[in-house]
Coordinates of all heavy atoms in Angstrom, one line a residue:
M120 N -74.4 -36.8 68.4 CA -75.8 -36.6 69.0 C -76.4 -38.0 69.1 O -76.4 -38.8 68.2 CB -76.6 -35.8 68.1 CG -77.9 -35.3 68.7 SD -79.2 -35.0 67.5 CE -78.7 -33.4 66.8
K121 N -77.1 -38.2 70.3 CA -77.7 -39.5 70.5 C -79.1 -39.5 69.9 O -79.7 -38.4 69.8 CB -77.8 -39.8 72.0 CG -76.5 -40.0 72.7 CD -75.9 -41.4 72.3 CE -74.6 -41.6 73.1 NZ -73.7 -42.4 72.3
C122 N -79.6 -40.7 69.6 CA -81.0 -40.8 69.1 C -82.0 -40.3 70.1 O -81.9 -40.6 71.3 CB -81.2 -42.3 68.8 SG -82.9 -42.7 68.5
A123 N -82.9 -39.5 69.6 CA -83.9 -38.9 70.5 C -84.9 -39.9 71.0 O -85.6 -39.6 72.0 CB -84.7 -37.8 69.8
N124 N -84.9 -41.1 70.4 CA -85.9 -42.1 70.8 C -85.3 -43.1 71.8 O -85.8 -43.2 72.9 CB -86.4 -42.9 69.6 CG -87.6 -43.7 69.9 OD1 -88.6 -43.3 70.5 ND2 -87.5 -45.0 69.6
C125 N -84.2 -43.7 71.5 CA -83.6 -44.7 72.4 C -82.5 -44.1 73.3 O -82.2 -44.6 74.3 CB -83.1 -45.9 71.6 SG -81.7 -45.5 70.5
K126 N -82.0 -43.0 72.8 CA -80.9 -42.3 73.6 C -79.7 -43.2 73.8 O -78.9 -43.1 74.8 CB -81.4 -41.8 74.9 CG -82.4 -40.7 74.6 CD -83.1 -40.3 75.9 CE -84.1 -39.1 75.7 NZ -85.4 -39.6 75.0
I127 N -79.6 -44.2 73.0 CA -78.4 -45.2 73.1 C -77.5 -45.1 71.9 O -76.3 -44.8 72.0 CB -78.9 -46.6 73.2 CG1 -79.7 -46.8 74.5 CG2 -77.7 -47.6 73.3 CD1 -80.6 -48.0 74.6
R128 N -78.1 -45.3 70.7 CA -77.4 -45.3 69.5 C -77.2 -43.9 68.9 O -77.9 -43.0 69.3 CB -78.0 -46.2 68.4 CG -77.9 -47.7 68.7 CD -78.7 -48.5 67.8 NE -80.1 -48.3 68.1 CZ -80.8 -49.1 68.9 NH1 -80.2 -50.1 69.6 NH2 -82.1 -48.9 69.2
E129 N -76.3 -43.8 68.0 CA -76.0 -42.5 67.4 C -77.1 -42.1 66.4 O -77.6 -42.9 65.6 CB -74.7 -42.6 66.6 CG -74.0 -41.2 66.4 CD -73.6 -40.5 67.7 OE1 -73.4 -41.2 68.8 OE2 -73.5 -39.3 67.7
A130 N -77.6 -40.9 66.5 CA -78.7 -40.4 65.6 C -78.1 -40.0 64.3 O -77.2 -39.2 64.2 CB -79.4 -39.2 66.2
T131 N -78.6 -40.7 63.2 CA -78.1 -40.4 61.9 C -79.2 -40.0 60.9 O -78.9 -39.5 59.8 CB -77.4 -41.6 61.3 OG1 -78.3 -42.7 61.3 CG2 -76.1 -41.9 62.1
E132 N -80.5 -40.2 61.3 CA -81.6 -39.9 60.4 C -82.6 -38.9 61.0 O -82.7 -38.8 62.2 CB -82.3 -41.2 60.1 CG -81.5 -42.4 59.8 CD -80.9 -42.4 58.4 OE1 -81.6 -42.1 57.5 OE2 -79.7 -42.6 58.3
K133 N -83.3 -38.2 60.1 CA -84.3 -37.4 60.5 C -85.6 -38.2 60.6 O -86.0 -38.8 59.6 CB -84.5 -36.2 59.5 CG -83.4 -35.2 59.6 CD -83.6 -34.2 58.5 CE -82.4 -33.2 58.5 NZ -82.3 -32.4 57.3
W134 N -86.3 -38.1 61.7 CA -87.6 -38.8 61.9 C -88.7 -37.7 62.0 O -88.6 -36.9 62.8 CB -87.5 -39.6 63.2 CG -88.9 -40.2 63.5 CD1 -89.7 -40.0 64.5 CD2 -89.5 -41.3 62.7 NE1 -90.8 -40.7 64.4 CE2 -90.8 -41.5 63.4 CE3 -89.2 -42.0 61.5 CZ2 -91.7 -42.5 62.9 CZ3 -90.1 -42.9 61.0 CH2 -91.3 -43.1 61.7
V135 N -89.6 -37.8 61.1 CA -90.7 -36.8 61.0 C -92.0 -37.4 61.4 O -93.1 -36.7 61.3 CB -90.8 -36.2 59.6 CG1 -89.6 -35.4 59.3 CG2 -91.1 -37.3 58.5
G136 N -92.1 -38.6 61.9 CA -93.3 -39.2 62.3 C -94.0 -40.0 61.1 O -93.3 -40.2 60.1
Q137 N -95.2 -40.3 61.3 CA -95.9 -41.2 60.3 C -96.3 -40.4 59.1 O -97.4 -39.8 59.1 CB -97.0 -41.9 60.9 CG -96.7 -42.7 62.2 CD -95.6 -43.8 61.9 OE1 -95.2 -44.0 60.8 NE2 -95.2 -44.5 62.9
G138 N -95.5 -40.4 58.1 CA -95.9 -39.8 56.8 C -96.3 -38.4 56.8 O -97.2 -38.0 56.1
S139 N -95.7 -37.6 57.7 CA -96.2 -36.2 57.7 C -95.1 -35.3 57.0 O -94.2 -34.9 57.7 CB -96.4 -35.7 59.2 OG -95.2 -36.1 60.0
I140 N -95.3 -35.2 55.8 CA -94.4 -34.4 55.0 C -94.4 -32.9 55.5 O -93.4 -32.2 55.4 CB -94.9 -34.4 53.5 CG1 -95.0 -35.8 53.0 CG2 -93.9 -33.6 52.6 CD1 -93.7 -36.5 52.6
M141 N -95.6 -32.5 55.9 CA -95.8 -31.1 56.4 C -94.7 -30.8 57.5 O -94.1 -29.7 57.5 CB -97.2 -30.9 57.0 CG -98.3 -30.9 56.0 SD -98.2 -29.5 54.9 CE -99.0 -28.3 55.9
D142 N -94.6 -31.7 58.5 CA -93.7 -31.5 59.6 C -92.3 -31.3 59.1 O -91.5 -30.5 59.6 CB -93.8 -32.6 60.6 CG -95.0 -32.5 61.4 OD1 -95.7 -31.4 61.4 OD2 -95.3 -33.5 62.1
Y143 N -92.0 -32.1 58.1 CA -90.6 -32.0 57.6 C -90.3 -30.7 57.0 O -89.2 -30.1 57.3 CB -90.4 -33.1 56.5 CG -89.0 -33.3 56.1 CD1 -88.1 -34.0 56.8 CD2 -88.6 -32.7 54.9 CE1 -86.7 -34.1 56.4 CE2 -87.3 -32.8 54.4 CZ -86.4 -33.5 55.2 OH -85.1 -33.6 54.8
T144 N -91.2 -30.1 56.3 CA -91.0 -28.9 55.6 C -91.0 -27.7 56.6 O -90.4 -26.7 56.4 CB -92.1 -28.5 54.6 OG1 -93.4 -28.7 55.2 CG2 -92.0 -29.5 53.4
H145 N -91.6 -28.0 57.8 CA -91.5 -27.0 58.8 C -90.4 -27.2 59.8 O -90.3 -26.6 60.9 CB -92.9 -26.9 59.6 CG -94.0 -26.4 58.8 ND1 -95.1 -27.1 58.4 CD2 -94.2 -25.2 58.3 CE1 -95.9 -26.4 57.7 NE2 -95.4 -25.2 57.6
G146 N -89.5 -28.1 59.4 CA -88.3 -28.4 60.3 C -88.7 -29.0 61.6 O -87.9 -29.0 62.5
N147 N -89.9 -29.6 61.6 CA -90.3 -30.3 62.9 C -90.0 -31.8 62.8 O -90.8 -32.6 62.4 CB -91.8 -30.1 63.0 CG -92.3 -30.6 64.4 OD1 -91.5 -30.9 65.2 ND2 -93.6 -30.6 64.5
Y148 N -88.8 -32.1 63.2 CA -88.4 -33.5 63.2 C -87.4 -33.8 64.3 O -86.9 -32.8 65.0 CB -87.8 -33.9 61.9 CG -86.6 -33.0 61.5 CD1 -85.3 -33.3 62.0 CD2 -86.7 -31.9 60.6 CE1 -84.2 -32.6 61.7 CE2 -85.6 -31.2 60.3 CZ -84.3 -31.5 60.9 OH -83.2 -30.7 60.6
Q149 N -87.1 -35.0 64.6 CA -86.2 -35.4 65.6 C -85.1 -36.2 64.9 O -85.3 -36.8 63.9 CB -86.8 -36.3 66.6 CG -87.8 -35.6 67.5 CD -88.4 -36.6 68.5 OE1 -88.6 -37.8 68.3 NE2 -88.8 -36.0 69.6
M150 N -83.9 -36.2 65.5 CA -82.8 -37.1 65.0 C -82.9 -38.4 65.7 O -82.9 -38.5 66.9 CB -81.5 -36.4 65.3 CG -81.2 -35.2 64.5 SD -81.4 -35.3 62.7 CE -80.0 -36.3 62.3
W151 N -83.1 -39.5 64.9 CA -83.2 -40.8 65.4 C -82.1 -41.7 64.8 O -81.5 -41.4 63.7 CB -84.5 -41.4 65.0 CG -85.7 -41.0 65.9 CD1 -85.7 -39.9 66.7 CD2 -86.9 -41.7 66.0 NE1 -87.0 -39.9 67.3 CE2 -87.7 -41.0 67.0 CE3 -87.4 -42.9 65.5 CZ2 -89.0 -41.4 67.3 CZ3 -88.7 -43.3 65.9 CH2 -89.4 -42.6 66.8
C152 N -81.8 -42.8 65.4 CA -80.9 -43.8 64.8 C -81.7 -44.7 63.8 O -82.9 -44.7 63.8 CB -80.3 -44.7 65.9 SG -81.5 -45.8 66.7
K153 N -80.9 -45.4 63.0 CA -81.6 -46.2 61.9 C -82.5 -47.3 62.4 O -83.5 -47.6 61.9 CB -80.5 -46.8 61.0 CG -80.0 -45.8 60.0 CD -79.2 -46.4 58.9 CE -79.0 -45.5 57.7 NZ -77.6 -45.5 57.2
K154 N -82.0 -47.8 63.6 CA -82.8 -48.9 64.1 C -84.2 -48.5 64.6 O -85.2 -49.1 64.3 CB -82.1 -49.6 65.3 CG -82.8 -50.8 65.9 CD -82.0 -51.7 66.6 CE -82.8 -52.9 67.1 NZ -82.0 -53.9 67.7
C155 N -84.2 -47.4 65.3 CA -85.5 -46.8 65.8 C -86.4 -46.5 64.6 O -87.6 -46.7 64.7 CB -85.3 -45.6 66.7 SG -84.7 -46.1 68.3
I156 N -85.9 -45.9 63.6 CA -86.7 -45.6 62.4 C -87.2 -46.8 61.7 O -88.4 -46.9 61.4 CB -85.8 -44.7 61.4 CG1 -85.7 -43.3 62.0 CG2 -86.5 -44.7 60.1 CD1 -84.9 -42.3 61.2
A157 N -86.3 -47.8 61.6 CA -86.8 -49.1 60.9 C -87.9 -49.7 61.7 O -88.9 -50.2 61.2 CB -85.6 -50.0 60.8
R158 N -87.7 -49.6 63.1 CA -88.7 -50.3 63.9 C -90.1 -49.5 63.8 O -91.1 -50.1 63.8 CB -88.2 -50.2 65.4 CG -88.9 -51.2 66.3 CD -88.5 -51.1 67.7 NE -87.3 -51.9 67.9 CZ -86.4 -51.7 68.9 NH1 -86.6 -50.6 69.7 NH2 -85.4 -52.5 69.2
A159 N -90.0 -48.2 63.8 CA -91.2 -47.4 63.7 C -91.9 -47.6 62.4 O -93.1 -47.7 62.3 CB -90.9 -45.9 63.9
Q160 N -91.1 -47.7 61.3 CA -91.6 -48.0 60.0 C -92.3 -49.4 59.9 O -93.3 -49.5 59.3 CB -90.6 -47.8 58.9 CG -90.2 -46.4 58.7 CD -89.1 -46.2 57.7 OE1 -88.2 -47.1 57.6 NE2 -89.0 -45.1 57.1
L161 N -91.7 -50.3 60.6 CA -92.2 -51.7 60.6 C -93.6 -51.7 61.3 O -94.6 -52.2 60.8 CB -91.3 -52.6 61.3 CG -91.7 -54.0 61.5 CD1 -91.9 -54.7 60.2 CD2 -90.7 -54.8 62.4
T162 N -93.7 -51.0 62.4 CA -95.0 -50.9 63.2 C -96.0 -50.2 62.3 O -97.2 -50.7 62.2 CB -94.8 -50.0 64.4 OG1 -93.7 -50.6 65.2 CG2 -96.0 -50.0 65.3
Y163 N -95.6 -49.2 61.6 CA -96.5 -48.5 60.7 C -97.0 -49.4 59.6 O -98.2 -49.4 59.3 CB -95.9 -47.2 60.2 CG -96.7 -46.4 59.3 CD1 -97.8 -45.7 59.9 CD2 -96.5 -46.2 57.9 CE1 -98.7 -44.9 59.1 CE2 -97.3 -45.4 57.2 CZ -98.4 -44.8 57.7 OH -99.2 -44.0 56.9
A164 N -96.1 -50.1 59.0 CA -96.4 -51.0 57.9 C -97.4 -52.1 58.3 O -98.3 -52.4 57.6 CB -95.1 -51.6 57.3
R165 N -97.1 -52.6 59.5 CA -98.0 -53.6 60.0 C -99.4 -53.1 60.3 O -100.4 -53.8 60.0 CB -97.5 -54.2 61.4 CG -96.4 -55.2 61.2 CD -95.9 -55.7 62.5 NE -94.9 -56.7 62.3 CZ -93.9 -56.9 63.1 NH1 -93.8 -56.2 64.2 NH2 -93.0 -57.9 62.9
K166 N -99.5 -51.9 60.8 CA -100.8 -51.2 61.0 C -101.5 -51.1 59.7 O -102.7 -51.3 59.6 CB -100.6 -49.8 61.6 CG -101.2 -49.7 63.0 CD -101.0 -48.3 63.6 CE -100.2 -48.3 64.8 NZ -99.7 -47.0 65.2
Q167 N -100.8 -50.6 58.7 CA -101.4 -50.4 57.3 C -101.9 -51.7 56.8 O -103.0 -51.8 56.2 CB -100.4 -49.8 56.4 CG -99.9 -48.4 56.7 CD -101.1 -47.4 56.7 OE1 -101.6 -47.0 57.7 NE2 -101.5 -47.0 55.5
L168 N -101.1 -52.8 57.0 CA -101.5 -54.1 56.5 C -102.8 -54.6 57.1 O -103.6 -55.2 56.5 CB -100.3 -55.1 56.8 CG -100.5 -56.5 56.2 CD1 -100.5 -56.4 54.7 CD2 -99.3 -57.4 56.7
R169 N -102.9 -54.3 58.4 CA -104.1 -54.7 59.1 C -105.4 -54.0 58.6 O -106.5 -54.6 58.6 CB -104.0 -54.5 60.6 CG -103.3 -55.6 61.4 CD -103.6 -55.6 62.9 NE -103.1 -54.4 63.5 CZ -101.9 -54.3 64.0 NH1 -101.1 -55.3 63.9 NH2 -101.5 -53.2 64.6
K170 N -105.2 -52.8 58.1 CA -106.3 -52.0 57.6 C -106.7 -52.4 56.2 O -107.8 -52.1 55.8 CB -105.9 -50.5 57.7 CG -106.0 -49.9 59.0 CD -105.7 -48.4 58.9 CE -105.3 -47.8 60.2 NZ -104.6 -46.5 60.0
L171 N -105.8 -53.1 55.5 CA -106.0 -53.3 54.1 C -107.2 -54.1 53.8 O -108.0 -53.7 52.9 CB -104.7 -54.0 53.5 CG -103.7 -53.1 52.9 CD1 -102.6 -53.9 52.2 CD2 -104.3 -52.2 51.8
P172 N -107.5 -55.2 54.5 CA -108.7 -56.0 54.1 C -110.0 -55.2 54.1 O -110.8 -55.3 53.3 CB -108.8 -57.1 55.2 CG -107.4 -57.2 55.6 CD -106.8 -55.8 55.6
L173 N -110.1 -54.3 55.2 CA -111.3 -53.4 55.3 C -111.3 -52.5 54.1 O -112.4 -52.2 53.5 CB -111.2 -52.7 56.6 CG -112.5 -51.9 57.0 CD1 -113.6 -52.9 57.4 CD2 -112.2 -51.0 58.2
R174 N -110.2 -51.9 53.8 CA -110.1 -51.0 52.7 C -110.5 -51.7 51.3 O -111.2 -51.1 50.5 CB -108.7 -50.4 52.6 CG -108.4 -49.5 51.5 CD -107.4 -48.5 51.8 NE -107.0 -47.7 50.6 CZ -107.8 -46.7 50.1 NH1 -108.9 -46.4 50.7 NH2 -107.5 -46.1 49.0
I175 N -110.0 -52.9 51.1 CA -110.4 -53.6 49.9 C -111.9 -53.9 49.8 O -112.5 -53.7 48.8 CB -109.5 -54.9 49.9 CG1 -108.1 -54.6 49.5 CG2 -110.1 -55.9 48.8 CD1 -107.1 -55.7 49.7
K176 N -112.4 -54.3 51.0 CA -113.9 -54.5 51.0 C -114.7 -53.2 50.6 O -115.6 -53.3 49.9 CB -114.3 -54.9 52.4 CG -114.0 -56.4 52.7 CD -115.3 -57.1 53.3 CE -115.2 -58.6 53.1 NZ -114.0 -59.2 53.8
K177 N -114.2 -52.1 51.2 CA -114.9 -50.8 50.9 C -114.8 -50.5 49.4 O -115.7 -50.1 48.8 CB -114.3 -49.7 51.7 CG -114.9 -49.5 53.1 CD -114.3 -48.3 53.8 CE -114.8 -48.2 55.2 NZ -114.0 -47.2 55.9
L178 N -113.6 -50.7 48.9 CA -113.4 -50.4 47.5 C -114.2 -51.3 46.5 O -114.7 -50.9 45.5 CB -111.9 -50.5 47.1 CG -111.1 -49.3 47.7 CD1 -109.6 -49.6 47.5 CD2 -111.4 -48.0 47.0
E179 N -114.3 -52.6 46.9 CA -115.1 -53.5 46.2 C -116.5 -53.1 46.1 O -117.2 -53.1 45.1 CB -115.0 -54.9 46.8 CG -113.7 -55.7 46.4 CD -113.5 -56.9 47.2 OE1 -114.2 -57.2 48.1 OE2 -112.5 -57.7 46.8
K180 N -117.0 -52.6 47.3 CA -118.4 -52.1 47.3 C -118.5 -50.9 46.4 O -119.5 -50.7 45.7 CB -118.8 -51.8 48.7 CG -119.4 -52.9 49.5 CD -119.9 -52.5 50.8 CE -120.3 -53.7 51.7 NZ -120.3 -53.4 53.1
E181 N -117.6 -50.0 46.5 CA -117.5 -48.8 45.7 C -117.6 -49.1 44.2 O -118.4 -48.5 43.5 CB -116.3 -48.0 46.1 CG -116.2 -46.6 45.4 CD -117.2 -45.6 46.1 OE1 -117.8 -45.9 47.1 OE2 -117.2 -44.5 45.5
V182 N -116.8 -50.1 43.8 CA -116.8 -50.5 42.4 C -118.1 -51.0 42.0 O -118.6 -50.7 40.9 CB -115.7 -51.5 42.2 CG1 -115.8 -52.2 40.8 CG2 -114.3 -50.8 42.3
E183 N -118.8 -51.8 42.9 CA -120.0 -52.4 42.5 C -121.2 -51.4 42.4 O -122.2 -51.6 41.7 CB -120.4 -53.4 43.6 CG -119.7 -54.7 43.5 CD -119.8 -55.4 42.2 OE1 -120.9 -55.6 41.7 OE2 -118.7 -55.6 41.5
R184 N -121.0 -50.2 43.0 CA -122.0 -49.2 42.9 C -122.2 -48.7 41.5 O -123.3 -48.2 41.1 CB -121.7 -48.0 43.9 CG -122.0 -48.3 45.3 CD -121.5 -47.1 46.2 NE -122.1 -45.9 45.7 CZ -121.6 -44.7 45.9 NH1 -120.4 -44.6 46.5 NH2 -122.2 -43.6 45.5
F185 N -121.1 -48.7 40.8 CA -121.2 -48.2 39.4 C -121.3 -49.3 38.4 O -120.3 -50.0 38.2 CB -119.9 -47.3 39.2 CG -119.7 -46.2 40.2 CD1 -118.8 -46.4 41.2 CD2 -120.5 -45.1 40.1 CE1 -118.7 -45.4 42.2 CE2 -120.3 -44.1 41.0 CZ -119.4 -44.2 42.0
K186 N -122.4 -49.4 37.8 CA -122.6 -50.4 36.8 C -122.2 -50.0 35.4 O -122.3 -48.9 35.1 CB -124.1 -50.8 36.8 CG -124.6 -51.4 38.1 CD -124.0 -52.7 38.4 CE -124.5 -53.3 39.7 NZ -123.7 -54.5 40.1
Ligands
ZN102 ZN1 -82.7 -45.0 68.5

Protein backbone atom coordinates (compact mmCIF):
# COMPACT_ATOMS: atom_id res chain seq x y z
CA MET A 1 0.00 0.00 0.00
CA LYS A 2 1.28 3.44 -0.90
CA CYS A 3 1.43 6.35 1.53
CA ALA A 4 -1.89 8.24 1.51
CA ASN A 5 -0.03 11.54 1.67
CA CYS A 6 2.78 11.42 -0.89
CA LYS A 7 1.57 8.35 -2.78
CA ILE A 8 5.20 7.56 -3.55
CA ARG A 9 6.71 5.69 -0.64
CA GLU A 10 5.39 2.58 1.02
CA ALA A 11 2.96 3.26 3.87
CA THR A 12 4.14 1.68 7.09
CA GLU A 13 2.65 3.87 9.83
CA LYS A 14 -0.76 4.94 11.02
CA TRP A 15 -1.25 8.69 10.83
CA VAL A 16 -4.06 10.04 13.02
CA GLY A 17 -3.42 13.75 12.62
CA GLN A 18 -2.28 16.22 15.23
CA GLY A 19 -2.52 14.54 18.59
CA SER A 20 -6.04 13.28 18.15
CA ILE A 21 -6.18 10.14 20.23
CA MET A 22 -9.94 10.09 19.69
CA ASP A 23 -9.62 9.48 15.99
CA TYR A 24 -7.27 6.63 16.56
CA THR A 25 -9.67 4.83 18.84
CA HIS A 26 -12.40 5.28 16.25
CA GLY A 27 -10.21 3.75 13.59
CA ASN A 28 -10.05 7.04 11.77
CA TYR A 29 -6.54 7.14 10.42
CA GLN A 30 -4.54 6.96 7.21
CA MET A 31 -1.56 4.87 6.32
CA TRP A 32 1.45 7.10 5.75
CA CYS A 33 5.14 6.55 5.14
CA LYS A 34 7.68 7.36 7.84
CA LYS A 35 8.97 10.40 6.04
CA CYS A 36 5.57 12.07 5.72
CA ILE A 37 4.87 11.42 9.37
CA ALA A 38 8.24 12.78 10.43
CA ARG A 39 7.65 15.87 8.33
CA ALA A 40 4.16 16.44 9.75
CA GLN A 41 5.49 16.00 13.28
CA LEU A 42 8.26 18.48 12.58
CA THR A 43 5.75 21.06 11.34
CA TYR A 44 3.63 20.47 14.42
CA ALA A 45 6.62 20.75 16.77
CA ARG A 46 7.66 24.04 15.13
CA LYS A 47 4.14 25.41 15.55
CA GLN A 48 4.16 24.43 19.21
CA LEU A 49 7.54 26.07 19.65
CA ARG A 50 6.28 29.34 18.17
CA LYS A 51 3.39 29.33 20.63
CA LEU A 52 5.59 28.69 23.65
CA PRO A 53 6.76 32.25 24.42
CA LEU A 54 3.14 33.42 24.57
CA ARG A 55 2.20 30.50 26.76
CA ILE A 56 5.09 31.21 29.13
CA LYS A 57 4.06 34.88 29.38
CA LYS A 58 0.51 33.88 30.24
CA LEU A 59 1.69 31.41 32.84
CA GLU A 60 4.01 33.97 34.40
CA LYS A 61 1.07 36.34 34.76
CA GLU A 62 -1.03 33.55 36.17
CA VAL A 63 1.61 32.76 38.79
CA GLU A 64 1.87 36.45 39.72
CA ARG A 65 -1.84 36.61 40.40
CA PHE A 66 -1.45 34.39 43.41
CA LYS A 67 0.58 35.96 46.15
ZN1 LIG B 1 4.47 9.62 2.32
